[in-house]
């Protein structure tokens, strides 16, 4: 079942099964293409999530 996630930092499509990094924020799990994106996200989640979701 194709269940892609979008890396909120760089907007890349990420496969949750193979994502190198993930983080939980406000009850949701976000997946990242790289550890650097996760770090950036955790420093300022609101900036990347905006009003969406
Ligand atoms: Zn990324």
């Amino acid at each position: 079942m194709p269940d892609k996630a979008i890396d909120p930092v760089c907007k890349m499509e990420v496969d949750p099964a193979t994502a190198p990094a993930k983080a939980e924020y406000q009850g949701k799990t976000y997946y990242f293409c790289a550890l650097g994106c996760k770090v950036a996200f955790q420093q300022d989640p609101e900036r990347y999530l905006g009003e969406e979701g």
Side-chain angles (χ1 to χ4, degrees):
M1 218 158 97
D3 190 15
K4 298 286 187 183
I6 300 295
D7 180 330
V9 175
C10 65
K11 311 297 185 196
M12 243 182 71
E13 212 175 63
V14 181
D15 184 346
T18 58
K22 65 177 181 174
E24 277 186 30
Y25 180 70
Q26 291 185 341
K28 279 193 69 175
T29 305
Y30 297 93
Y31 297 90
F32 305 93
C33 68
L35 199 59
C37 282
K38 175 184 173 176
V39 171
F41 176 79
Q42 289 186 315
Q43 284 174 347
D44 196 358
E46 298 295 340
R47 171 179 164 192
Y48 298 108
L49 296 178
E51 293 295 308
E52 266 186 286

